[in-house]
Amino acid sequence: MSLPSTCTRFLCLLTLLTSSVGNLQAGSLETLLMPGDVIEGHKEYEEQCNKCHTPFSKESQERLCLDCHEQVDHDIRKQLGYHGKRPQASTAKCTLCHTEHIGRNADIVKLSESTFDHNDTDYPLEGRHQRTACAQCHLEGKKHREAEQICFSCHREDDYHQGSLGEKCADCHSPKEWHKSSFDHDKTKFPLQNRHGEINCNTCHPQNRYEKTPTLCISCHLLDDSHNGRFGTDCKKCHNDERWKQSPFDHDRETKFPLKDSHSKLKCDTCHTHNAYEEKRQRSCLSCHASEDRHLGQYGKQCNDCHNEKSWEDTRFDHFQKTSFPLHGKHDEAQCTACHTGDTGQLKQKHDCYSCHRPDDIHNGKQGQSCERCHNENGWMSDLAFDHDLTDFPLLGLHVLVPCEACHETKPYKGVDKRCIACHEEEDVHLGNLGTQCETCHNPNGWEFWQFDHNKQTRFPLDGAHDGLACNACHDKPMKSVKLSGTACVICHRRDDEHQGRFGPFCDRCHNTERWDSVIYRR
């Protein structure tokens, strides 16, 4: 029998049954033809076969399933959830996994929690979630797809922020460790760098306050501000997030006053006693060192002419190059104040010795003001080098060895009698009979060394018996009271004149100098 005839007979039988039991409901007939009872969830549609079946069209059955199960349909189309992520989800038939008409209590889902691969869902299990019991997320009486996927729905009680950061827990936390935050602060307007990356969140966010957290340094470091606000609130001009106490502020590059030597070791508030950015700071040495100026301003305001930044006490003024008065000898050891007694900027310092050494002048000005003629810079009273030869009394012979005070009994030195007799009167064996011009016979090489040429230096040559006589033989009286004549023999020989003056005073007419008793008469 052919297939068409069989179908024809089936239709005839179906028509006969329908007409014979017209008083029966149409649903009852469909119930009679079902292969078995549907599950409890489909029970209300059991007599409405057209909800799931279209006569003579098995292909349309998939569409009817999805029309009822809209969420599953949505997942398949969007490739979401368990149904949307399975291989060939768009072409697979529902009946491959879900078989109906096998009884009210039949399990047509066939879900095994112990073998279910959660990676086939929109919520793969990671970290500690893999050890979590299914019932903790999939509550009884609810579909598995209804389980919450938001962290906050499960971890509300674990939120020590108390909701202040919202419900996006995954921004900071991960399933591996809830208490370790993985929040990327660099994605905010305040990246955490250096020491900021080491501190706890609640250091800046007390009481879980995260919104409108101030980002100015001073808002957190107000207690650390040792300047007490004098330098303003822009802390990053001097400090950074590596070291708060050690400032990286480059004073050399960012100011017109480079810090060198001892200045580089000072604290900021040593010089900046007020707001460093509002005050106009003076750069002169005296603006800071006025209290240390022991010169009391007499050397002016150019402290750097003498002092340097290595040591205030170590002065290094170059008197050779910067002045017209080089310091030699004792001058190099003298204190500045010894010569500079007034304001060097206004007072023109004199360079002559006398301007400084007037109190040392034992001559009381009698020797003039050219002290350098005798004194030198090695010592006022040592190495005296007066050139006596430049005076009108050069020192010759033994006079060179005579100390100054032997002739100069008074400190002025001037007014000394230059005559020999003034010093040698006690040594005058002639007792003044030969006058006071000792230099006529004597010389400075020695008082005993003398030479007088009576023949050349007088009008009375010594010849004959006169030659060899002692001076005092004739000069027995002071010479100033005796006027000798070349022919006045009687002056000395009056006692020898046996003529008693009868032949006059011209003895040389009869006598000669060889012998007195030898007479040679001359007409």
Side-chain angles (χ1 to χ4, degrees), residues 152-207:
F152 198 72
S153 61
C154 287
H155 295 283
R156 183 186 300 274
E157 294 181 358
D158 300 324
D159 178 24
Y160 59 83
H161 310 300
Q162 301 177 359
S164 61
L165 294 183
E167 299 181 359
K168 295 182 179 180
C169 307
D171 288 346
C172 302
H173 303 277
S174 70
K176 293 182 180 180
E177 186 67 41
W178 176 259
H179 294 290
K180 289 186 178 180
S181 174
S182 61
F183 178 71
D184 189 355
H185 216 285
D186 293 346
K187 293 181 179 179
T188 69
K189 295 180 180 180
F190 192 86
L192 297 182
Q193 299 174 349
N194 300 316
R195 297 294 295 277
H196 282 160
E198 302 173 7
I199 60 177
N200 294 325
C201 302
N202 57 5
T203 303
C204 298
H205 304 285
Q207 298 179 351

Side-chain angles (χ1 to χ4, degrees), residues 277-486:
Y277 302 103
E278 293 180 358
E279 66 175 342
K280 187 177 180 181
R281 191 68 194 170
Q282 297 293 328
R283 294 193 292 271
S284 64
C285 306
L286 206 60
S287 62
C288 281
H289 297 283
S291 60
E292 301 174 66
D293 180 21
R294 61 185 181 185
H295 315 299
L296 303 178
Q298 69 181 33
Y299 291 169
K301 299 181 180 180
Q302 298 299 323
C303 308
N304 53 333
D305 285 346
C306 300
H307 302 274
N308 57 65
E309 295 157 318
K310 291 184 178 180
S311 172
W312 180 259
E313 300 297 330
D314 184 16
T315 59
R316 302 180 64 181
F317 180 73
D318 193 342
H319 221 281
F320 288 85
Q321 294 185 1
K322 295 185 178 181
T323 71
S324 57
F325 190 81
L327 299 181
H328 297 291
K330 292 291 184 179
H331 283 162
D332 193 31
E333 302 173 7
Q335 295 290 331
C336 304
T337 52
C339 299
H340 301 285
T341 58
D343 190 339
T344 55
Q346 299 179 1
L347 181 64
K348 187 176 181 181
Q349 191 72 26
K350 295 181 179 180
H351 297 166
D352 63 288
C353 307
Y354 206 69
S355 61
C356 280
H357 294 284
R358 181 189 296 271
D360 302 321
D361 180 20
I362 60 177
H363 316 300
N364 297 325
K366 299 296 184 179
Q367 292 295 326
Q369 298 182 3
S370 298
C371 309
E372 65 276 6
R373 291 188 306 165
C374 303
H375 303 277
N376 59 66
E377 295 160 316
N378 293 325
W380 183 255
M381 298 301 296
S382 63
D383 300 331
L384 297 179
F386 179 71
D387 190 354
H388 219 286
D389 294 345
L390 299 178
T391 69
D392 53 2
F393 190 86
L395 297 181
L396 303 175
L398 294 178
H399 282 163
V400 176
L401 303 177
V402 178
C404 303
E405 58 270 17
C407 300
H408 301 282
E409 296 179 356
T410 60
K411 293 180 179 179
Y413 284 12
K414 281 194 173 184
V416 177
D417 195 341
K418 302 180 183 65
R419 297 176 305 145
C420 302
I421 197 65
C423 286
H424 298 284
E425 185 174 5
E426 295 181 358
E427 302 173 64
D428 181 18
V429 296
H430 314 298
L431 302 177
N433 292 335
L434 298 182
T436 58
Q437 295 182 348
C438 308
E439 67 275 8
T440 305
C441 300
H442 302 278
N443 63 67
N445 291 326
W447 187 256
E448 301 298 330
F449 304 118
W450 65 276
Q451 182 178 2
F452 181 74
D453 192 344
H454 214 283
N455 297 335
K456 294 180 179 181
Q457 294 179 249
T458 71
R459 292 176 294 176
F460 192 83
L462 296 180
D463 53 8
H466 285 160
D467 188 15
L469 291 176
C471 300
N472 57 4
C474 297
H475 301 285
D476 55 354
K477 295 180 180 180
M479 292 182 63
K480 61 181 180 180
S481 62
V482 178
K483 292 185 180 180
L484 298 179
S485 173

